[in-house]
Amino acid sequence: MKLIHKAMAGTMESSDIMVTIEPKEEGGIQLELTSSVMQQFGRQIEAVIRETLKGLGVENAMVTAADKGALDCTIKARVNCAAFRAADSEEYVWEAK
Amino acid sequence: MAEKSFDFAQIPHIAEIACNGEFKAAKARNTATFAEKFEHKNKVVDSLEEAIKLSGLKDGDTISFHHHFRNGDHIINQVVDKLAEMGFKNLTLASSSLAAVHAPLIEHIKAGVITHIETSGMRGELAEAVSRGLMDFPVVFRSHGGRGEAVTSGELHINVAFLGAPSCDPFGNANGYSRDDEDSIMCGSMGYARPDAHMADTTIIITNNLVKFPNTPCAIPESDVDYVVVVDDIGDPKGIMSGATRYTKNPKELIIAKTAAEVVKAAGYVYDGFSMQMGSGGASLATARYLRQMMIDEGIKCRFALGGITGQITAMHEEGLIEKVLDVQSFDLDAAKSLKHNHFHQQIDAPTYASYRREAAVNQLDFVILSALEVDTDFNVNVLTGSDGVIRGAIGGHPDTAEGAALSVIVCPLTRGRIPCVVPKVNTVVTPGSVVDVVITDQGVAVNPNRPEVAEKLVAAGIPVVSIESLAERAEHIVGKPDPIKFKDKIVAVVMYRDNTVIDVVRQIDED
């Protein structure tokens, strides 16, 4: 997936996460994460964000995530949405596992 | 006086009868009018500073406060600022509880004015600073019953009590409201201040509303009071109490509340003449709504409701569904108004409410509905520290009522955001699992294996009962497995059970 411009998804509401993605040429995924549950779940949230981006084929990006206790499914959805918006793409992959 | 008809020395056993000897003369009369005497102000002193000087307070002493002004309290900060200005050091601050508004204490702790704290709860910046190791002497957390008993027995000796009061007369009769007017500040019951007033070496009432003698009814009688100080500001009425505690609209809490009402009914504790207490959380309060309908449908009445009292309880009292209300702390303005106006809404003190040394009111409870931050698979409950290990709560009457009531019911959502509320092990044990009978979440009910008869009754009534372990697993399935919180070795607080034995400690959080 080719990112074109900065985009975001999500809100600052409780149980949500606000994700901002900015395209970059190199340097891999740079992640700035803040979370209301950092101590207990910071490691897991970071892993989910990185995996989701990897799944989309995004290799370089500046990602800012402000988490308010979102569940993994919410995190994936917000990261996906922000990435598709940043890529101006609507080629959504609707998966049902 | 006429010639005496007796010889004092000749009265048999006179030394055992009268240690003050023979009558000589009556005191000089004061023939000023009652109105003129009011001008003399009796125990009223000119300033807080004057009262502190008169109290004989010295470095190293224990000062006490009540928390009936909640987050609107301006007494503690005002008094400790003054004590700091007067150069006092090394004081123990023993408040019945503390709130976020008390953050300015941090500076006084750093300066050595306050070196030890006793309380039921702590929130906000002060709690965070304590969790980060602010104090060398661990904070002592006690339950309301435990503190009442510690004060009464002398285990917690108070040198000077500084007690804010929404009304007081010049002789020290103090109260949490005033029947002399309709618009002054109210805090309702002053149940947690009463043992302090009675036991302290010196009791100072701080009021913004000096009323004419006699201030009746009163929470604190003049016989317990040494000085009265009149100030402009005792607190922010909005922070002291809101108009009425509102019913929750949160569907999770409503389903928990509905289940809770069904559970106490099925367990056999809702009958004509039963007794109850509701905690102040959304779900426990909402349980009252479902119980109310149940009582109307079945034509039964509650003999008494106990505790922290809310407008929900007093509304049921005024409807005739609850015969008597025993109020150690009024949570909202409706509750305070009911205390002011209703004959059978009685103010009680902390030891009467929950002392472990006597048959306190909590022992007469059929059931209590309590909230929790976390419950573990041994049914232990934490209401004191957050999921990040930081102090953010209060013990309150949690262990007192759980142990005292015939049935103790914990209501909490299975998860709050990403935080699991049913866990393998709680951060801090406040109420031990041995006195917790039923845990009700939005996704299942668990019964303590030590109450098999309760589980049987619930199942017979068609309420599905699951194991507490399965609730913990379900929570973990939803939110994932949290990484353990890191703590340092330093003990920042000690948690007392209601009999004032140490049940747990809180350690400094490790943010390195």
Side-chain angles (χ1 to χ4, degrees):
Chain A
M1 178 178 279
K2 169 99 182 109
L3 304 183
I4 300 162
H5 55 79
K6 189 172 171 176
M8 61 182 263
T11 70
M12 297 293 280
E13 295 292 315
S14 180
S15 296
D16 202 349
I17 181 169
M18 194 157 86
V19 179
T20 311
I21 299 184
E22 224 175 317
K24 272 197 337 167
E25 289 306 314
E26 54 191 13
I29 304 291
Q30 230 182 309
L31 176 62
E32 259 181 40
L33 172 67
T34 54
S35 171
S36 58
V37 291
M38 199 64 183
Q39 273 220 30
Q40 305 94 308
F41 292 104
R43 201 178 43 82
Q44 280 186 59
I45 296 166
E46 175 162 356
V48 170
I49 293 172
R50 287 187 184 279
E51 257 170 52
T52 308
L53 290 171
K54 199 174 163 190
L56 294 171
V58 176
E59 283 165 4
N60 299 303
M62 175 69 211
V63 181
T64 313
D67 171 63
K68 298 284 178 189
L71 298 178
D72 284 355
C73 50
T74 310
I75 299 169
K76 274 184 214 167
R78 294 306 193 193
V79 171
N80 264 305
C81 182
F84 276 96
R85 283 175 180 167
D88 278 337
S89 162
E90 290 182 6
E91 311 288 310
Y92 307 128
V93 187
W94 301 110
E95 50 180 325
K97 278 181 193 166
Chain B
M1 204 174 137
E3 196 179 327
K4 271 182 216 144
S5 63
F6 64 91
D7 180 350
F8 184 77
Q10 295 303 311
I11 303 170
H13 297 285
I14 189 59
E16 296 152 64
I17 293 169
C19 60
N20 296 320
E22 205 176 341
F23 171 77
K24 291 190 179 62
K27 232 170 135 179
R29 308 287 304 284
N30 181 349
T31 54
T33 62
F34 169 53
E36 284 163 354
K37 283 175 190 160
F38 183 75
E39 297 305 314
H40 294 298
K41 300 282 194 263
N42 203 283
K43 290 174 188 166
V44 179
V45 294
D46 287 343
S47 65
L48 181 59
E49 186 166 341
E50 182 68 18
I52 293 166
K53 282 181 187 159
L54 289 165
S55 75
L57 183 75
K58 47 187 196 312
D59 291 352
D61 277 357
T62 297
I63 53 175
S64 97
F65 302 90
H66 68 71
H67 75 289
H68 291 288
F69 296 171
R70 289 159 279 271
N71 206 37
D73 177 66
H74 290 174
I75 298 289
I76 298 182
N77 293 337
Q78 205 175 147
V79 169
V80 180
D81 282 352
K82 181 55 75 181
L83 294 172
E85 188 189 306
M86 292 170 75
F88 285 100
K89 295 278 180 203
N90 197 22
L91 298 169
T92 291
L93 185 153
S95 183
S96 58
S97 203
L98 293 167
V101 71
H102 301 118
L105 288 177
I106 296 171
E107 291 311 313
H108 296 307
I109 292 165
K110 285 181 181 163
V113 179
I114 304 293
T115 45
H116 174 41
I117 290 180
E118 292 239 2
T119 181
S120 164
M122 210 180 254
R123 289 184 172 86
E125 287 171 44
L126 174 62
E128 282 172 30
V130 166
S131 289
R132 294 191 166 91
L134 175 68
M135 304 187 80
D136 287 329
F137 200 118
V139 171
V140 174
F141 284 98
R142 294 184 203 264
S143 74
H144 288 328
R147 181 184 189 275
E149 191 53 46
V151 171
T152 309
S153 69
E155 181 182 339
L156 172 55
H157 179 77
I158 298 164
N159 298 102
V160 183
F162 294 91
L163 305 174
S167 72
C168 188
D169 68 32
F171 293 76
N173 296 296
N175 206 10
Y177 55 89
S178 165
R179 282 203 181 139
D180 284 318
D181 62 64
E182 291 303 323
D183 47 12
S184 57
I185 290 177
M186 291 174 104
C187 73
S189 175
M190 289 181 65
Y192 297 130
R194 290 167 73 172
D196 298 40
H198 191 60
M199 296 302 295
D201 297 340
T202 304
T203 296
I204 300 170
I205 299 291
I206 301 171
T207 188
N208 66 337
N209 186 17
L210 189 72
V211 300
K212 239 170 144 173
F213 175 86
N215 185 26
T216 54
C218 68
I220 296 170
E222 60 177 82
S223 52
D224 285 341
V225 176
D226 299 284
Y227 306 107
V228 176
V229 179
V230 183
V231 296
D232 293 335
D233 177 25
I234 57 168
D236 171 12
K238 287 193 202 82
I240 291 174
M241 42 184 38
S242 56
T245 319
R246 263 189 236 133
Y247 270 132
T248 179
K249 285 181 180 155
N250 180 331
K252 263 192 192 183
E253 290 186 330
L254 289 175
I255 197 164
I256 292 169
K258 186 165 179 284
T259 310
E262 287 163 0
V263 162
V264 291
K265 169 73 182 155
Y269 292 105
V270 183
Y271 56 91
D272 193 35
F274 74 103
S275 61
M276 64 175 176
Q277 178 168 341
M278 306 286 161
S280 57
S284 40
L285 271 180
T287 306
R289 182 198 312 199
Y290 294 101
L291 280 170
R292 177 181 171 274
Q293 197 55 49
M294 212 176 256
M295 290 163 73
I296 293 170
D297 292 347
E298 300 186 17
I300 58 175
K301 282 181 184 170
C302 170
R303 174 61 181 165
F304 78 93
L306 176 66
I309 299 296
T310 59
Q312 271 86 48
I313 294 293
T314 57
M316 287 168 75
H317 175 51
E318 287 166 4
E319 264 183 290
L321 291 171
I322 298 171
E323 289 175 2
K324 304 213 174 185
V325 179
L326 297 180
D327 186 347
V328 69
Q329 177 183 11
S330 318
F331 278 130
D332 57 34
L333 204 53
D334 286 359
K337 282 180 184 160
S338 166
L339 178 65
K340 181 171 171 176
H341 297 298
N342 293 324
H343 290 305
F344 293 119
H345 182 159
Q346 172 76 33
Q347 182 165 183
I348 58 169
D349 66 15
T352 305
Y353 168 53
S355 163
Y356 68 96
R357 274 189 210 267
R358 54 173 106 168
E359 282 296 315
V362 291
N363 290 12
Q364 312 310 321
L365 284 172
D366 275 312
F367 61 87
V368 61
I369 313 279
L370 293 162
S371 310
L373 289 170
E374 314 176 288
V375 188
D376 70 21
T377 48
D378 291 321
F379 289 84
N380 297 311
V381 178
N382 169 22
V383 288
L384 193 59
T385 54
S387 59
D388 52 1
V390 176
I391 299 163
R392 66 182 59 201
I395 298 179
H398 205 284
D400 302 305
T401 51
E403 187 189 290
L407 187 76
S408 62
V409 177
I410 304 295
V411 288
C412 70
L414 188 64
T415 59
R416 286 186 178 95
R418 195 165 184 164
I419 302 298
C421 300
V422 182
V423 295
K425 194 174 181 308
V426 289
N427 271 329
T428 311
V429 179
V430 169
T431 298
S434 60
V435 300
V436 171
D437 299 322
V438 185
V439 173
I440 299 175
T441 72
D442 50 317
Q443 304 198 29
V445 177
V447 179
N448 194 320
N450 67 19
R451 295 297 297 270
E453 82 287 4
V454 172
E456 273 172 35
K457 285 177 185 167
L458 300 196
V459 172
I463 299 168
V465 174
V466 298
S467 71
I468 190 84
E469 289 81 10
S470 73
L471 288 178
E473 280 161 23
R474 192 170 169 79
E476 191 178 303
H477 177 73
I478 295 168
V479 302
K481 194 179 170 66
D483 290 336
I485 309 163
K486 284 177 283 177
F487 291 102
K488 295 188 171 177
D489 289 336
K490 180 172 174 173
I491 291 171
V492 300
V494 169
V495 183
M496 300 282 198
Y497 187 57
R498 63 180 301 227
D499 61 359
N500 294 317
T501 58
V502 176
I503 190 166
D504 208 347
V505 297
V506 180
R507 290 180 196 273
Q508 182 178 355
I509 52 167
D510 184 355
E511 295 164 304
D512 301 339

